[in-house]
């Protein structure tokens, strides 16, 4: 990858469409596509199916499928009289309308809906093939469907009899994630079919013509690019409109936020729900116990989508579809008895378990535990796919085998009788680089479990805690967190919402994007930002280490003093040291892409234009070809692109190209006034229509200023309140002077103890020259340093154990009244900078129609004195101010009015004359 | 204002003097004096640093602003700085700051000819004036396939404007601590208790004399005013066993220089600058503006 100019660490997982990087958002589904509902209403059971116009009594369906005797149904349902009692009203109902045979039932159904048999065969639970698993014996053998319906019936009755048997809708094991592959395949199928239809339509039209001049060639009539364009459109807009599958979804893709590596990585793990977010329900938003280790408990947005949009945890794997055939034959080999050989009575006999593969009833097995163990052994040996899950549900007396796509699963260390299979020598080999993760998996030391199979496992958090029954050991506790939350040091000491805030904020931090970040631009974003002066955090979290994130940091270590200073630090504002800023703290580079194009017309095209040097100063940075040259300093209003356009692009057909008159057109740079940027690169390329395109990358190095936003890694953001000279800053007798002062009021209500420990750990790390770690829940395993140990290190290097220092005031030279908690904390610069936001105007542009000031910073708009502001001014009694704002500054307009006729005077632009010029008076409208 | 004199006669005792490090005592004055000296050393002693960079070619991986910033931060030997002119009030060159009285020109030419990474350090920087050269430890950065051709102009400035002109790496002082150990009370303690007192201080302030087994003050100045010993003594129920005061009229200064000027020279320059500033106040006496500007301070100056 690297010789080709690509970053070797780029995780991929996104599409590049029309010059944008788009990541497709995983969506979690709860329901399968075809809905078959068995519902009990007024003690009678009905089947609700979209293909039928109304609900159908279940016994009628059973009879129509060939199960004519009621006894057979009751027998299949189970011997327990409870079930029969529940079904009795339905049986009576069926008998009361006089339907006893299959023929009668079918006739009854046919009367209501035509083709009822076909619906039952092809649409009603279509995953069960009619005729048996192997070769169809008879065309319309509905036995298996009957079994399936009875199992559904029994489940429903279980739920009625015993509320515990209810399925949990929010349970992660009942959800499937839809990945981009599935979405694209649907889209492709639709596009391909519509293309075929279109081609067929066209070809038919041609072939139906009686006489044709040339030989018919189908390849001439294939629609070019219709699939490409369709895919491109869906990916770039994110709208999936597949009417063939009744799919109308929006926001399926999102632009990858390339602000920092982790931010980009984080946007690739995002999962959004399928139903709308407006529902005010707490269930799906709550933290599910089953998401442990699969989905990050911290990383979710605040507000509307809180708890609905989720992110994958670090080690999570999303399965893809696996072939069922081999698994079915394996199951039969291991003693699964085919249903067609069993009687109805045996279906729910307590001595054996149902075997269900991806919702398909395979048969029964007498020794389910043994069967499950054998299957698992095969999986560990690599004979069955790694991600096939085998789950024994004792309550439902079923063994579920799942090989379908979209399940989330995670790796765990296998333990035999509570002894981990990974021994010390394995770890040593891992350190030496002889082994890697895949070899652990291949040799059956580690296996992937999905959420359902986790229910059969007893997982110990640490090896030492394993008992005899333990089947698995966690790899590391911090893997329950996702990529963004994994960056927080000591997250387990923080108040939980703080970690959530940090997850959202980490995506706004500016940092290194990739190794090739200086080369990117041309295909990437409009505005990529990067920090030229980055550090590794002294206080690392292990996730940072596993993610290889160290090379792509997104912040700097700032020595922070937690104290009050100057009053410019209220409401989380921070005070910064000017000398630190001089030396490069918090600098960032903002890249901006501007493009220009040379247009082609019928006969002519735009031309290069050599700037005339004698003109004004604004064109100084242009090269002889009319393009700004790289490395030039560019200011507001500078011309960076100049070309010659034909004055009349259409009329030039007649004249010779050399005689076409041209005019010069210019593009000026609109940046912040008083700021200087640099032309970083100029790229020339041709676009789809073969026009010459020019792309300018403008680089702007920014030094922090008052109002820029900073944040530590604990959800504690703050703007820079003031910048103070170094000599005014407090200092210690060692000569240490903080880079940044944070107000202590940030701590009590936020309860970010992790930040304090980070400070302590970093301080110890700086003094002893070793990175300190702060992985989540890492203290027992040594991946996080304990405060006691940190304190010891501090004392060893002559600091106070509690991290407080004795400081002198830089202003007076007197000692400060209190000991100051001081040490390095990793600070991130967030993308919100005043330079991009500040705005003020006096006179300025107005809207054409209303003549009121324009709106918004980009249009240099005015600031509206709205209702509430007006209320304030009224309350304050500043009547003249209100009068000026509401009357004079906004609406008045001066017109010329004819004294005689009373008409408004105006300038006729065609004749350039004033109409109604005589008897004119000025008039002020307001 | 008559009669009151604010004149003091501070004493300086030099403890340690190296090229880039100085430690001295300042006695018989107060914090305002010591702090003024510290502040001047950090922010007002002039040095020479690269201020304007003209880049002809830069094909390195680092961008122009980055290189210019790093060039600015290179400390240059600035013995001449005190006698140089600020380019803003230089008469010889109308303030464009490119004459010999107010500026020094540097050239940087580096080209990487093989496919290895080339280190470009301050040694590649050629000065037009042999008295103003880079201090020989710094380094600007490294680049792959580097081709740089730059002209840089160094000017005089002070740390207040930009930290690159600050000659001080570290300037700090502490109050001299005065530690009294109550010998009689200490005698009542067992050896174990004594050790616990000694070890309660994070820095090595106290020690136990191996012969007499008495608690002694080993290094008074290692004390960081952390109060740990006092807390310990309090907790042992023996307040007054150890008493520590800060001597409010004596200070121990530590000065580390960036190498731009020698640490000793830095102190002398600072005093010189401080004098000049006070002169400026004194000379502006009797003017109304002076009173506006300096207020009470001006009155003090006239009186004392």
């Amino acid at each position: 990858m690297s010789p080709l100019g690509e970053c070797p660490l780029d995780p991929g997982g996104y599409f590049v469409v029309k010059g944008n990087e788009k990541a497709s958002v995983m969506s979690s589904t709860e329901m399968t596509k075809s809905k078959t509902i068995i519902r009990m209403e007024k003690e009678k059971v009905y089947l609700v199916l979209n293909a039928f116009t109304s609900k159908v009594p279940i016994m009628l369906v059973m009879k129509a499928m060939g199960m004519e005797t009621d006894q057979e149904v009751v027998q299949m349902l189970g011997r327990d009289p409870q079930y029969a009692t529940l079904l009795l009203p339905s049986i009576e109902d069926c008998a009361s309308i006089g339907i006893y045979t299959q023929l009668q039932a079918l006739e009854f159904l046919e009367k209501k809906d035509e083709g009822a048999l076909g619906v039952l065969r092809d649409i009603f639970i279509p995953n069960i093939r009619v005729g048996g698993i192997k070769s169809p014996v008879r065309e319309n053998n509905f036995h298996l469907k009957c079994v399936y319906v009875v199992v559904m019936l029994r489940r429903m009755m279980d739920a009625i009899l015993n509320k515990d048997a209810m399925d949990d809708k929010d349970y992660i094991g009942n959800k499937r994630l839809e990945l981009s592959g599935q979405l694209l395949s649907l889209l492709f199928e639709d596009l391909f079919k519509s293309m075929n239809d279109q081609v067929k339509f066209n070809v038919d039209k041609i072939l139906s013509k009686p006489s044709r001049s040339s030989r018919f060639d189908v390849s001439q009539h294939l629609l070019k690019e219709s699939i490409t364009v369709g895919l491109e459109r869906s990916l770039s807009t994110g709208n999936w409109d597949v009417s063939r599958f009744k799919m109308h979804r929006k926001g399926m893709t999102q632009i990858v936020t390339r602000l920092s590596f982790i931010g980009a990585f984080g946007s690739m793990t995002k999962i959004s729900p399928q139903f709308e977010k407006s529902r005010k329900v707490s269930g799906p938003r709550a933290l599910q116990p089953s998401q442990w280790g699969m989905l990050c408990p911290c990383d979710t947005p605040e507000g509307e989508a809180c708890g609905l949009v989720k992110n994958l945890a670090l080690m999570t794997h999303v399965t893809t579809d696996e072939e069922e055939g081999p698994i079915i034959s394996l199951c039969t080999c291991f003693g699964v008895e085919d249903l067609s050989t069993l009687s109805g009575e045996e279906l729910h006999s307590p001595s054996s378990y149902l075997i269900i593969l991806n919702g398909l009833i395979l048969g029964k097995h007498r020794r389910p535990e043994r069967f499950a163990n054998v299957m698992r052994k095969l999986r560990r040996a690599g004979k069955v796919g790694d991600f096939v899950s085998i789950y024994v549900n004792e309550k439902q007396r079923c063994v579920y085998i799942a090989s379908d796509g979209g399940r989330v699963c995670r790796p765990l260390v296998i333990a035999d009788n509570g002894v981990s299979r990974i021994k010390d020598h394995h770890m040593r080999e891992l350190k030496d680089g002889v082994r890697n993760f895949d070899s652990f998996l291949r040799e059956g030391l580690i296996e992937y479990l999905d959420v359902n199979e986790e229910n059969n496992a007893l997982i110990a958090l640490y090896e030492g805690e394993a008992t005899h029954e333990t089947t698995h050991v966690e790899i590391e506790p911090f893997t329950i967190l996702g990529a963004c939350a994994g960056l927080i040091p000591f997250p387990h000491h923080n108040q939980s919402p703080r970690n959530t805030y940090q997850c959202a904020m980490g995506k706004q931090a500016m940092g290194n994007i990739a190794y090739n970040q200086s080369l990117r631009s041309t295909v990437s974003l409009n505005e990529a930002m990067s920090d030229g002066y980055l550090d590794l955090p002294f206080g690392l979290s292990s996730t940072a280490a596993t993610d290889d994130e160290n090379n792509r940091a997104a912040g700097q270590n700032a020595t922070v003093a937690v104290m009050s200073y100057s009053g410019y630090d209220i409401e989380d504002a921070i005070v910064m040291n000017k000398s630190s800023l001089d030396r490069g703290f918090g600098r960032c580079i903002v890249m901006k892409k501007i493009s220009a194009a040379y247009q082609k017309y019928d006969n002519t095209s735009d031309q290069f234009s050599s700037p005339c040097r004698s003109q004004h100063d604004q064109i100084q940075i242009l090269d002889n070809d009319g393009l700004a040259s790289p490395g030039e300093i560019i200011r507001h209003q500078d011309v960076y692109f100049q070309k010659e356009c034909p004055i009349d692009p259409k009329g030039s057909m007649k004249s010779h190209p050399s005689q076409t008159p041209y005019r010069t057109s210019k593009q000026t740079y609109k940046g912040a006034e008083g700021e200087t940027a640099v032309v970083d690169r100029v790229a020339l390329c041709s676009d789809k229509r073969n026009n010459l395109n020019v792309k300018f990358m403008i680089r702007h190095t920014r030094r922090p200023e008052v109002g820029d936003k900073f944040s530590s890694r604990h959800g504690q953001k703050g703007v820079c309140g003031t910048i103070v000279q170094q000599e005014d800053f407090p200092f210690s007798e060692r000569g240490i002077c903080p880079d940044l002062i944070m107000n202590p009021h940030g701590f009590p209500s936020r309860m970010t103890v992790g930040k304090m420990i980070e400070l302590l750990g970093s301080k110890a790390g700086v003094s002893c020259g070793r990175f300190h770690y702060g992985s989540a829940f890492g203290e027992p395993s040594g991946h996080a340093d304990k405060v006691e140990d940190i304190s010891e290190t501090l004392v060893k290097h002559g600091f106070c154990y509690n991290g407080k220092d004795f400081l002198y005031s830089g202003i007076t030279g007197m000692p400060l009244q209190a000991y100051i908690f001081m040490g390095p904390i990793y600070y991130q610069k967030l993308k919100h900078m005043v330079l991009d936001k500040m705005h003020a105007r006096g006179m300025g542009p107005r809207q054409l129609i209303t003549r009121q000031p324009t709106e918004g910073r980009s249009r240099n708009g005015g600031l509206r004195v709205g209702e509430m502001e007006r209320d304030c001014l009224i309350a304050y009694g500043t009547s003249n101010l209100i009068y000026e704002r509401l009357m004079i500054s906004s609406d008045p307009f001066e017109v010329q009015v004819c004294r005689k006729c009373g008409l408004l005077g105006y300038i006729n632009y065609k004749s350039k004359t004033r109409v109604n010029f005589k008897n004119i008076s000025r008039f002020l409208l307001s | 204002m008559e009669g009151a004199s604010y004149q003091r006669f501070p004493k300086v005792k030099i403890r340690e003097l190296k090229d880039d490090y100085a430690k001295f005592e300042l006695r018989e004055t107060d914090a305002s004096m010591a702090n003024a000296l510290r502040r001047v050393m950090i922010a007002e002693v002039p040095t020479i640093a690269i201020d304007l960079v003209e880049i002809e070619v830069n094909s390195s991986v680092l961008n122009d602003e980055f290189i210019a910033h790093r060039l600015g931060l290179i400390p240059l030997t600035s013995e001449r700085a005190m006698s140089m002119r600020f380019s803003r009030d230089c008469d010889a060159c109308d303030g464009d700051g490119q004459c010999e009285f107010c500026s020094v020109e540097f050239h940087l030419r580096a080209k990487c000819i093989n496919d290895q990474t080339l280190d470009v350090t301050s040694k590649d920087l050629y000065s037009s004036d042999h008295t103003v050269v880079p201090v020989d430890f710094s380094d600007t950065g490294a680049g792959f396939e580097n081709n740089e051709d730059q002209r840089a102009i160094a000017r005089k400035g002070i740390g207040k404007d930009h930290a690159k002109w600050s000659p001080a790496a570290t300037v700090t002082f502490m109050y001299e601590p005065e530690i009294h150990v109550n010998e009689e009370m200490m005698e009542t303690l067992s050896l174990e208790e004594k050790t616990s007192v000694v070890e309660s201080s994070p820095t090595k302030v106290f020690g136990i004399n191996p012969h007499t087994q008495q608690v002694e003050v080993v290094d008074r100045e290692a004390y960081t005013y952390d109060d740990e010993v006092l807390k310990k003594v309090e907790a042992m129920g023996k307040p007054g066993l150890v008493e520590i005061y800060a001597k409010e009229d004596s200070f121990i200064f530590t000065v580390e220089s960036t190498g731009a000027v020698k640490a000793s020279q830095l102190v002398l320059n600072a005093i010189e600058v401080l004098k000049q500033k006070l002169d400026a106040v004194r000379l502006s006496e009797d003017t109304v503006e002076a009173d506006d500007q300096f207020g009470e301070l001006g009155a003090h100056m006239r009186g004392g």
Side-chain angles (χ1 to χ4, degrees), chain A residues 638-794:
Chain A
D638 275 357
V639 175
Y640 61 87
F641 176 71
Q642 180 176 322
K643 67 177 178 182
E644 300 272 305
C645 299
I647 289 172
D648 186 8
K650 281 174 203 152
S652 53
M653 288 291 270
K654 301 153 213 160
S655 60
H656 190 262
S658 63
Q659 286 162 358
T660 20
Y662 284 97
R663 66 182 167 83
T664 4
S665 97
K666 287 169 187 158
Q667 285 186 19
T668 50
Y669 174 69
K670 283 169 200 73
E673 250 166 277
E675 292 286 326
T676 55
V678 181
V679 180
D680 191 61
R681 242 160 330 128
V682 178
L684 298 164
C685 59
S686 55
D687 67 359
K688 256 186 191 164
R689 266 162 271 128
N690 239 356
N691 290 328
L692 178 60
N693 251 324
V694 191
K695 300 214 157 102
F696 298 90
M697 292 300 293
I698 310 285
R699 156 166 45 92
H700 185 200
T701 306
R702 291 181 187 176
R703 160 199 168 109
E705 55 182 323
V706 171
D708 282 359
K709 203 168 166 190
F710 290 84
S711 150
S712 69
R713 291 178 293 170
H714 302 270
Q716 294 206 304
K717 53 177 186 259
V719 292
C720 171
T722 182
I723 296 168
V724 172
Q725 295 281 351
Q726 186 189 338
E727 61 265 27
D728 290 337
F729 252 54
F731 61 96
S732 76
E733 82 287 331
R734 296 172 182 238
I736 298 171
C737 178
D739 295 313
L740 202 134
I741 294 178
M742 187 205 139
N743 195 295
H745 288 99
F747 279 119
S749 58
R750 279 49 172 301
M751 294 183 275
T752 50
V753 179
K755 186 170 176 175
M756 298 189 186
I757 304 179
E758 183 193 349
L759 185 147
L760 275 183
S762 307
K763 195 172 180 180
V766 173
S767 46
C768 75
R770 150 183 109 72
F771 284 114
H772 278 61
Y773 288 88
S775 302
F777 314 105
E779 277 95 352
S781 54
H783 290 295
D785 291 83
K786 291 196 196 87
V787 175
E788 288 89 351
D789 303 341
I790 293 171
S791 293
E792 219 162 87
T793 322
L794 281 178

Side-chain angles (χ1 to χ4, degrees), chain B residues 48-93:
Chain B
I48 300 164
I50 291 173
D51 195 31
L52 185 80
V53 182
E54 286 174 15
I55 294 174
E56 289 291 324
V57 186
N58 172 19
S59 61
S60 70
V61 291
L62 306 174
N63 61 43
D64 300 352
E65 302 95 287
F66 189 92
I67 291 173
H69 176 235
R70 309 223 45 145
L71 284 172
L73 290 175
I74 298 173
L76 306 174
T77 51
S78 318
E79 270 80 27
R80 251 186 70 196
M82 286 298 273
S83 58
M84 251 170 92
R85 294 177 191 164
F86 283 111
S87 60
R88 60 172 177 267
D89 36 49
C90 172
D91 327 323
C93 55

Side-chain angles (χ1 to χ4, degrees), chain B residues 14 57-58 61-64 106 126 143 161 179 208 210 221 239 252 258 286 297:
Chain B
I14 295 165
V57 186
N58 172 19
V61 291
L62 306 174
N63 61 43
D64 300 352
F106 286 85
Y126 294 103
D161 291 332
I179 305 176
I208 294 178
E221 274 137 39
I252 299 157
T258 57
D286 292 339
L297 179 66

Side-chain angles (χ1 to χ4, degrees), chain B residues 1-6 282 285 296-304:
Chain B
M1 295 319 284
E2 291 302 311
S5 170
Y6 293 86
R282 210 195 312 263
E285 68 181 320
E296 228 172 290
L297 179 66
H300 277 310
M301 294 298 299
R302 262 172 279 150

